Amino acid sequence: TLPQAEDHVDVLIVGAGPAGLMLANWLSRCDVKTRIVDKRGTKIFSGQADGLQCRTLEIFDSFDFADRAWRESNHMIEICLWNPDDQGRIRRSDRIPDTIPGISRFQQVVLHQGRIERFFLDAIKEHSDILVERGVLPTAFEFDATKADDFNDYPINVTVRSLSDEESTPQQQQQQQHHKSGDGKETTVSDGLFRSNLAADDTDDLIRSAESDPAVDRVESIKAKFLVGCDGAHSWVRRQLGYQLEGDSTDYIWGVLDIVPITDFPDIRQRCAIHSANAGSVMVIPRENKLVRLYIQLQATEHAQAGGKADRSWITPGIILQSAQKILHPYKLDYSYCDWWTAYQIGQRVGDQFSLKERVFLAGDAVHTHSPKAGQGMNVSMQDTYNLGWKLAHVVKGYSDPAILKTYQSERRKIAQDLIAFDHRFSRLFSGRPAKDIMDEEGVSMEEFKTAFEKGNEFASGIAVNYGSSIIVAKEGDSAKQGDGTDVASLDNTTCVISKPQVATKIDVGKRMPSFKVLNQSDARPYHFQELLKSNGRWRIVVFPGKLGLAPNMRRMQKLGARLESPDSFLHRYTPAHQPIDSVIEVLTVHAGPRESLELLDLPESFHPYSETMGWDYWKVFVDDQSYHEGHGQAYANYGIDPIQGASVILRPDQYVSWVGKVDDYEDMERFFSAFMRPRQLEKE
Ligand code: FAD
């Protein structure tokens, strides 16, 4: 059938789960022409993923909606470990903090995926006219490789079809589920099986039935500069590219039950990992609205032998409950309200490629699958597209050379591999039978489990992410390698800049910028530094000039200010003529105090830009000093910066540290940016 309509977009996103919505959200802030389609007629309303790690909350805060998640969610403060004693009775053996203290200004919380999708939808609506097009199914993909090198061209053509209501609502969802709770009472529950990968994927059936539908007015051709497959573990986009998920051949089947528990188990409102002597293990996740989630590994299947999918007909909420009752014995557990349940099958797998010629990308479950225990799936998926979004926007807008897009795969595939390795280790320890004594070699040592849990918590928080060196991360070490072995660090070797980490010993190049309280110079209000780093697409230079009461330090600021102000400075070169000077690269200052030692207007204009209509910008200069109500952030000490020498830091639009150097090292800053930024003359208006 010939398409009825044709459209041209910068970015087409397939799939409106957490990964797709994060990307649409980024692009909504950067004014990029975007469409996002999803084959399902509705968003998720309950169940599915639930854990939000602290890095994810920092990211939400940079988009101004962390407060909604923080308020509605259940906060996870403590983890209790339960193991069998000599008599085989489960006992609490340890308590550890859920989030490592001091690692972030947020702690892990839990809230179901449907609410998180709601926050994204509201944010996208507020900032753009991008609408999630539901019940829209891509049916064909063409890629014109001859157009791939011209980033103003549209090498991608995707045919999409609008589905009828019936087609976009899976059958399992149309039927109400009835089942008996543990005590035999009949209840009605929504289950997640229709979205689960234990149910056969219906994409091909939908395509077949849609193609035999004569209604041509529902067929459209979308030409795109970029296509991003955020379409989950069965990814249709991945299949078009012929890419594979590589990994383990063993799949585990997990039962998940969201209930309001009736129990005498004392730690039901704590996150618990419970190993029973012989009945298996359960992870208890206390949730919002009095709910508790139980995760139980029900069975392992050989993926190859099972032909990919295991029989799920035997799995019911009753089966999951009975397994939990056996593990928790002698404590009692039952419920009369079950909110949601599912069973799903997972292996630990990573995509072999994350992109086709930096024009088609894959993100989220489309390129990594693993167990739910550490609450990583949704977080890592959103962080994939948080990494990609600003890069796409900068290339579309002509600010950046497309070479920066290579860093998506080099940065995120490494994270996915680390995640799978972590999950592999952790799964064995979680699901294994506890060792009876040190001679019991088949059993799992509970000490080892505890240590792995504690270590795993840092990884799981998302804070430990440390991107390798590249054109946008100026550090020594293993250059990030592409899948094809080429080095992404050197777009042009002569412009490669290396940081001077000794000037800010506690700021790690490649990691996200840590946050401490600083005060606004002009009104004395305290801010967490990260609050100043909104995700609005801007690069940032953060100048730490040290004590400005010292004449040499003030002179350095005058010198740097003069360089930045000059019409041929890189600030001017990379900012389009009609845009404010801070719209591509923003300069922030944090001086070492005291606050009274400085009048804002004593600093050169680049540090507090002036506009004819808005006057001076009072939200660019901050101070590391005592506040009236919230103590002293000790930012210089916490960042490892000497208040006499100072330092400068370049931050990417996603808050990761690109470069650390001397306060007035204008030449290095310029060389850093010139490796990938495009001067405004070349910008496509
Ligand atoms: P998804 O959330 O899978 O989103 C993909 C989207 O793409 C969906 O909206 C889908 O309708 C759409 N789509 C798929 N194919 C097409 C197509 N051909 N055309 C158009 N649209 C398409 N993680 C946890 O951390 N804890 C949990 O308890 C947990 N439980 C889960 C239970 C189930 C049943 C499932 C399936 C996953 C669960 N996960 C859990 C994993 C977690 O939900 C995912 O890691 C996370 O949602 C990944 O986000 P995503 O955006 O990459 O993919």
Side-chain angles (χ1 to χ4, degrees):
T1 324
L2 287 176
Q4 270 275 303
E6 187 178 284
D7 192 14
H8 284 77
V9 295
D10 294 324
V11 182
L12 172 62
I13 305 168
V14 177
L21 291 172
M22 172 64 86
L23 183 58
N25 176 49
W26 237 140
L27 299 176
S28 76
R29 313 281 167 131
C30 299
D31 196 23
V32 172
K33 190 172 178 205
T34 305
R35 284 180 66 176
I36 171 167
V37 301
D38 196 293
K39 67 178 180 182
R40 295 282 179 248
T42 60
K43 67 185 268 296
I44 287 185
F45 294 103
S46 57
Q48 215 146 317
D50 59 358
L52 288 176
Q53 305 296 350
C54 35
R55 177 62 189 144
T56 304
L57 287 163
E58 292 179 0
I59 294 171
F60 283 6
D61 190 52
S62 76
F63 287 116
D64 287 325
F65 57 77
D67 55 325
R68 294 183 71 182
W70 193 245
R71 214 171 31 242
E72 285 186 30
S73 56
N74 185 49
H75 292 215
M76 308 270 271
I77 307 299
E78 192 172 68
I79 300 175
C80 294
L81 304 180
W82 285 70
N83 303 313
D85 64 12
D86 299 346
Q87 271 75 51
R89 186 192 152 107
I90 55 166
R91 304 253 180 221
R92 184 194 298 119
S93 61
D94 275 296
R95 296 174 190 268
I96 54 178
D98 183 272
T99 303
I100 297 171
I103 201 169
S104 167
R105 66 204 154 101
F106 294 104
Q107 294 89 47
Q108 188 188 180
V109 301
V110 273
L111 184 63
H112 80 81
Q113 192 172 323
R115 287 306 294 158
I116 291 147
E117 294 185 6
R118 167 51 54 209
F119 304 153
F120 276 121
L121 293 168
D122 291 349
I124 293 167
K125 196 166 158 198
E126 195 184 322
H127 288 90
S128 69
D129 54 8
I130 300 171
L131 267 184
V132 176
E133 299 167 55
R134 296 195 189 275
V136 175
L137 179 75
T139 57
F141 163 81
E142 290 157 56
F143 184 71
D144 184 348
T146 61
K147 294 182 178 167
D149 291 335
D150 177 358
F151 279 77
N152 291 318
D153 210 337
Y154 298 81
I156 295 151
N157 185 11
V158 176
T159 309
V160 299
R161 212 172 233 278
S162 309
L163 301 174
S164 63
D165 286 352
E166 201 180 320
E167 287 165 330
S168 64
T169 313
Q171 275 185 351
Q172 292 94 321
Q173 195 186 22
Q174 292 166 1
Q175 296 160 3
Q176 290 254 289
Q177 305 286 317
H178 295 279
H179 74 91
K180 286 197 164 65
S181 70
D183 62 1
K185 280 180 283 206
E186 184 88 6
T187 54
T188 305
V189 189
S190 68
D191 80 52
L193 285 177
F194 74 93
R195 283 192 188 259
S196 163
N197 51 11
L198 283 177
D201 181 48
D202 59 357
T203 301
D204 289 338
D205 292 343
L206 287 174
I207 292 177
R208 265 192 297 279
S209 82
E211 278 178 344
S212 59
D213 179 347
V216 282
D217 59 332
R218 296 207 254 126
V219 183
E220 190 185 355
S221 158
I222 304 180
K223 308 240 184 279
K225 289 181 181 163
F226 298 99
L227 169 66
V228 188
C230 301
D231 47 349
H234 294 295
S235 179
W236 175 86
V237 176
R238 188 184 68 227
R239 282 196 282 140
Q240 303 313 301
L241 305 182
Y243 293 171
Q244 307 294 328
L245 289 181
E246 296 169 340
D248 211 326
S249 66
T250 304
D251 277 8
Y252 296 94
I253 298 184
W254 285 81
V256 188
L257 198 57
D258 285 349
I259 53 174
V260 175
I262 301 167
T263 184
D264 55 0
F265 179 66
D267 285 343
I268 199 70
R269 293 304 306 170
Q270 305 280 34
R271 181 170 166 205
C272 297
I274 306 168
H275 280 87
S276 70
N278 295 306
S281 318
V282 60
M283 179 81 83
V284 177
I285 312 272
R287 299 269 309 270
E288 70 279 9
N289 295 334
K290 299 187 177 166
L291 290 171
V292 169
R293 171 169 286 196
L294 305 175
Y295 275 119
I296 300 182
Q297 187 181 307
L298 295 171
Q299 192 192 44
T301 64
E302 285 306 313
H303 187 71
Q305 287 166 15
K309 289 288 158 263
D311 172 25
R312 65 173 169 96
S313 56
W314 58 278
I315 304 172
T316 62
I319 293 281
I320 304 173
L321 178 70
Q322 277 166 25
S323 307
Q325 286 168 332
K326 283 191 197 135
I327 299 166
L328 280 170
H329 177 81
Y331 298 102
K332 306 240 172 319
L333 172 73
D334 201 352
Y335 64 85
S336 54
Y337 176 74
C338 172
D339 190 59
W340 183 83
W341 68 280
T342 193
Y344 71 114
Q345 180 178 355
I346 23 163
Q348 289 136 339
R349 284 183 262 274
V350 190
D352 54 352
Q353 295 282 335
F354 281 33
S355 122
L356 169 70
K357 291 187 178 293
E358 285 76 52
R359 303 304 287 252
V360 184
F361 296 90
L362 298 171
D365 276 13
V367 272
H368 40 73
T369 62
H370 49 85
S371 86
K373 285 175 308 295
Q376 292 289 285
M378 180 167 57
N379 293 274
V380 177
S381 298
M382 290 188 287
Q383 284 163 29
D384 282 347
T385 45
Y386 184 61
N387 179 290
L388 180 62
W390 68 270
K391 296 175 186 172
L392 284 177
H394 279 218
V395 173
V396 166
K397 294 183 93 65
Y399 297 161
S400 265
D401 191 286
I404 64 165
L405 296 172
K406 284 185 188 291
T407 61
Y408 171 67
Q409 171 160 324
S410 62
E411 293 180 343
R412 295 309 298 178
R413 187 156 187 272
K414 164 98 176 40
I415 302 298
Q417 286 168 321
D418 291 350
L419 170 60
I420 267 60
F422 161 72
D423 195 53
H424 206 79
R425 269 195 316 278
F426 197 56
S427 280
R428 186 184 65 80
L429 294 171
F430 179 72
S431 302
R433 173 182 60 75
K436 295 195 181 70
D437 51 47
I438 45 169
M439 300 301 287
D440 176 5
E441 285 180 5
E442 277 177 21
V444 167
S445 143
M446 288 297 106
E447 262 315 297
E448 194 189 338
F449 176 70
K450 183 187 164 200
T451 315
F453 212 134
E454 281 175 328
K455 275 215 192 109
N457 269 356
E458 189 189 356
F459 176 83
S461 71
I463 302 293
V465 165
N466 190 346
Y467 292 139
S469 76
S470 71
I471 44 171
I472 52 172
V473 177
K475 68 178 178 188
E476 285 182 275
D478 289 352
S479 292
K481 294 268 189 269
Q482 285 299 293
D484 59 8
T486 52
D487 187 344
V488 296
S490 46
L491 176 67
D492 170 359
N493 267 329
T494 55
T495 52
C496 238
V497 175
I498 300 296
S499 294
K500 298 181 181 69
Q502 64 277 16
V503 299
T505 53
K506 297 183 186 164
I507 298 179
D508 294 322
V509 179
K511 286 183 143 184
R512 69 90 167 94
M513 182 73 173
S515 188
F516 304 100
K517 288 254 173 97
V518 293
L519 312 184
N520 182 296
Q521 172 66 29
S522 306
D523 65 11
R525 178 178 162 180
Y527 287 88
H528 240 292
F529 186 68
Q530 257 179 15
E531 290 179 83
L532 312 174
L533 310 178
K534 293 293 174 208
S535 290
N536 49 19
R538 296 176 193 187
W539 281 89
R540 295 190 173 88
I541 299 174
V542 188
V543 184
F544 292 91
K547 292 201 171 294
L548 288 176
L550 302 175
N553 288 5
M554 198 55 172
R555 274 202 299 278
R556 255 184 345 211
M557 280 301 262
Q558 305 287 2
K559 192 177 125 207
L560 178 63
R563 300 294 298 271
L564 292 171
E565 257 154 54
S566 134
D568 65 351
S569 79
F570 63 82
L571 275 192
H572 288 273
R573 248 191 351 264
Y574 299 133
T575 309
H578 56 279
Q579 285 181 203
I581 192 65
D582 62 351
S583 59
V584 178
I585 304 172
E586 178 179 38
V587 181
L588 296 174
T589 302
V590 181
H591 73 94
R595 187 163 54 91
E596 297 76 17
S597 68
L598 181 74
E599 297 299 338
L600 182 75
L601 300 191
D602 291 344
L603 286 175
E605 183 176 331
S606 352
F607 301 109
H608 51 93
Y610 181 79
S611 111
E612 294 275 327
T613 50
M614 309 300 282
W616 299 109
D617 188 334
Y618 297 100
W619 293 273
K620 301 278 198 241
V621 178
F622 297 83
V623 54
D624 181 20
D625 205 345
Q626 182 75 29
S627 70
Y628 283 111
H629 308 288
E630 298 181 22
H632 194 308
Q634 304 292 355
Y636 271 67
N638 284 315
Y639 287 129
I641 299 175
D642 176 354
I644 310 293
Q645 298 302 326
S648 280
V649 178
I650 296 178
L651 301 179
R652 306 175 0 168
D654 56 3
Q655 304 180 336
Y656 285 82
V657 179
S658 282
W659 171 87
V660 170
K662 292 196 173 155
V663 175
D664 54 351
D665 202 344
Y666 176 89
E667 281 74 23
D668 260 15
M669 295 179 198
E670 177 164 51
R671 280 169 58 217
F672 171 77
F673 283 115
S674 67
F676 60 90
M677 294 289 274
R678 289 194 156 165
R680 67 181 185 215
Q681 300 87 285
L682 299 181
E683 173 206 358
K684 195 171 161 281
E685 292 296 332

